[in-house]
C-alpha cells in the first residue's frame, strides 16, 4: 500500500529535477529574445559599413566568382538574386526590420524565421568575411524559432487573449538550446589539443602576440607570462568542465548561476584583450 505513493513521490521529484536542469524560465527566454535581436542589429550594422565592397558585384567578390569557385551548387542565398548594392541594402533593411519586430516581440516566431533566413543569406553571400560569431548567432536563432520567446514582455503577449502561461517551460527545444551552448565549449576544448594548451600553457601568450588581434590591454599582459599560463590553463579547464556544472543536479540554481558568471567573465576577458568582433558578446549573452 505504501510502495505506490513512494514511487509516485520519487517520480515527481525526478520530473521536478529534470525541469530544474533542462527547463527554462519564459522570462529568461524573453531576455534571450531581446539580446538576440540586439546582437543581430549590431552584426548587420557592422556588415553594412562594407556593404558595397563585400556584398555587391562591384566589390571584391562578384557572384560569378562566388558561385564558380567558393560556394557549393546546393547553397541557397537570397543575396545571389541580384548583385546591385541597392538590392543588398534592401535585404539588410528587411533583416533589420524583422530584428526590430523580434526585439519588441511582434509575431515573434515569424520575425525570428525571417531574420534567420536573411542573415544566413547574407553570411553565404561572402563567406570570406565570416567567423565563428556568424555560425553561433544563426544556430541560436534556429533554436529560438522553436521556443516561445514571445510568451513574456512582448507585443504578442499584450495582443493575446489567452491567460498568462506558467513561467516554467520544458521541451526538446530548451534541451537542444542548452546542449548547443554546452557543445560549443566541449568541442572547443577538444580542439585545443596542442602542447601550447595542455603542456606548457603558452597559448594565450602566442595569441596576444598577434598584432592584428591583440588590444592594448592584451599587449600589456604579455609582460606577465606566468599569469598568462594560469589563464591558459583556467580557460581550458572551464571550457572542458564548466558545461557539466550547467547541468549539476545538486544545488542547481546557485551552481548554474556561478558557472554562467564564470563564462561571462571569460568572454569579457576575451573582449578586453582581443579584437574578434562581436563573438564574445554573442557567447556571453546567450548564457542569459
Amino acid at each position: 500500500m505504501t510502495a505506490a505513493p513512494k514511487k509516485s513521490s520519487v517520480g515527481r521529484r525526478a520530473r521536478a529535477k529534470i525541469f530544474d536542469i533542462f527547463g527554462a524560465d519564459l522570462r529568461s527566454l524573453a531576455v534571450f529574445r531581446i539580446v538576440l535581436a540586439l546582437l543581430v542589429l549590431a552584426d548587420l550594422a557592422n556588415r553594412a559599413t562594407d556593404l558595397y565592397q563585400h556584398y555587391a558585384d562591384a566589390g571584391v567578390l562578384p557572384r560569378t566568382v562566388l558561385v564558380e569557385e567558393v560556394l557549393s551548387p546546393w547553397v541557397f542565398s537570397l543575396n545571389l538574386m541580384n548583385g546591385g548594392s541597392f538590392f543588398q541594402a534592401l535585404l539588410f533593411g528587411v533583416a533589420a526590420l524583422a530584428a526590430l519586430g523580434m526585439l519588441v516581440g511582434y509575431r515573434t516566431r515569424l520575425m525570428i524565421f525571417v531574420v534567420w533566413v536573411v542573415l544566413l543569406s547574407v553570411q553565404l553571400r561572402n563567406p570570406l568575411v565570416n567567423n565563428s560569431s556568424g555560425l553561433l548567432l544563426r544556430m541560436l536563432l534556429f533554436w529560438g524559432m522553436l521556443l516561445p520567446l514571445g510568451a513574456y514582455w512582448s507585443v504578442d503577449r499584450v495582443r493575446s487573449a489567452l491567460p498568462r502561461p506558467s513561467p516554467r517551460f520544458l521541451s526538446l527545444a530548451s534541451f537542444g538550446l542548452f546542449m548547443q551552448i554546452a557543445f560549443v565549449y566541449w568541442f572547443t576544448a577538444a580542439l585545443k589539443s596542442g602542447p601550447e594548451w595542455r603542456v606548457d600553457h603558452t597559448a594565450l601568450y602566442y595569441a596576444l602576440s598577434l598584432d592584428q588581434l591583440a588590444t592594448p590591454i592584451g599587449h600589456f599582459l604579455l609582460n606577465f607570462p606566468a599569469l598568462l599560463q594560469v589563464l591558459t590553463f583556467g580557460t581550458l579547464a572551464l571550457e572542458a568542465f564548466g558545461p557539466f556544472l550547467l547541468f549539476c543536479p545538486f544545488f542547481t540554481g546557485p551552481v548554474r548561476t556561478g558557472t554562467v558568471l564564470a563564462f561571462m567573465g571569460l568572454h569579457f576577458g576575451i573582449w578586453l584583450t582581443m579584437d574578434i568582433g562581436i563573438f564574445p558578446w554573442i557567447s556571453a549573452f546567450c548564457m542569459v
Side-chain angles (χ1 to χ4, degrees), residues 10 18 21 47 70-71 76 82 96 104-105 107 126 140 181 203 225 232-233 235 258 261 263-264 267 273 284:
V10 171
I18 291 172
I21 296 174
R47 291 175 182 272
V70 180
L71 288 184
F76 169 78
N82 188 291
V104 299
R107 298 188 180 276
N126 193 341
L140 294 174
I181 293 170
T232 300
F233 176 81
T235 298
L261 292 175
F263 277 118
M264 285 185 166
H267 292 293
T273 57

Side-chain angles (χ1 to χ4, degrees), residues 34-110:
I34 294 169
V35 165
L36 267 186
L38 292 174
L39 289 170
V40 168
L41 289 171
D43 183 62
L44 290 171
N46 181 58
R47 291 175 182 272
T49 58
D50 295 311
L51 188 146
Y52 179 83
Q53 294 86 347
H54 288 167
Y55 301 97
D57 278 350
V60 297
L61 189 62
R63 287 175 299 155
T64 52
V65 177
L66 176 69
V67 173
E68 292 175 4
E69 301 185 16
V70 180
L71 288 184
S72 162
W74 300 102
V75 166
F76 169 78
S77 173
L78 295 173
N79 296 68
L80 297 180
M81 296 171 61
N82 188 291
S85 55
F86 174 78
F87 183 78
Q88 302 301 318
L90 181 64
L91 287 177
F92 272 69
V94 169
L97 286 175
L100 289 173
M102 178 182 165
L103 179 68
V104 299
Y106 174 74
R107 298 188 180 276
T108 307
R109 203 178 298 271
L110 174 62

Side-chain angles (χ1 to χ4, degrees), residues 81-195:
M81 296 171 61
N82 188 291
S85 55
F86 174 78
F87 183 78
Q88 302 301 318
L90 181 64
L91 287 177
F92 272 69
V94 169
L97 286 175
L100 289 173
M102 178 182 165
L103 179 68
V104 299
Y106 174 74
R107 298 188 180 276
T108 307
R109 203 178 298 271
L110 174 62
M111 293 298 104
I112 297 175
F113 175 74
V114 172
V115 170
W116 180 71
V117 169
V118 180
L119 191 65
L120 178 60
S121 296
V122 168
Q123 291 176 5
L124 290 174
R125 174 60 183 87
N126 193 341
L128 303 181
V129 299
N130 292 331
N131 55 32
S132 299
S133 63
L135 175 60
L136 179 58
L137 185 57
R138 68 177 188 250
M139 290 304 300
L140 294 174
L141 287 167
F142 172 81
W143 290 113
M145 287 188 290
L146 307 177
L147 289 164
L149 301 190
Y152 273 73
W153 305 335
S154 65
V155 175
D156 290 343
R157 176 69 258 161
V158 174
R159 296 170 65 236
S160 176
L162 298 175
R164 182 182 294 274
S166 168
R168 298 297 295 162
F169 177 80
L170 174 66
S171 74
L172 287 175
S174 65
F175 172 81
L177 174 62
F178 292 165
M179 294 308 298
Q180 176 73 67
I181 293 170
F183 283 147
V184 168
Y185 296 104
W186 280 330
F187 285 116
T188 299
L191 289 171
K192 293 174 177 173
S193 57

Side-chain angles (χ1 to χ4, degrees), residues 16-35:
K17 182 52 64 177
I18 291 172
F19 253 94
D20 280 344
I21 296 174
F22 296 111
D25 190 303
L26 291 177
R27 293 163 295 187
S28 292
L29 290 180
V31 177
F32 179 65
R33 181 197 79 237
I34 294 169
V35 165

Side-chain angles (χ1 to χ4, degrees), residues 194-201:
E196 67 277 7
W197 281 103
R198 306 200 176 198
V199 179
D200 50 18
H201 309 303

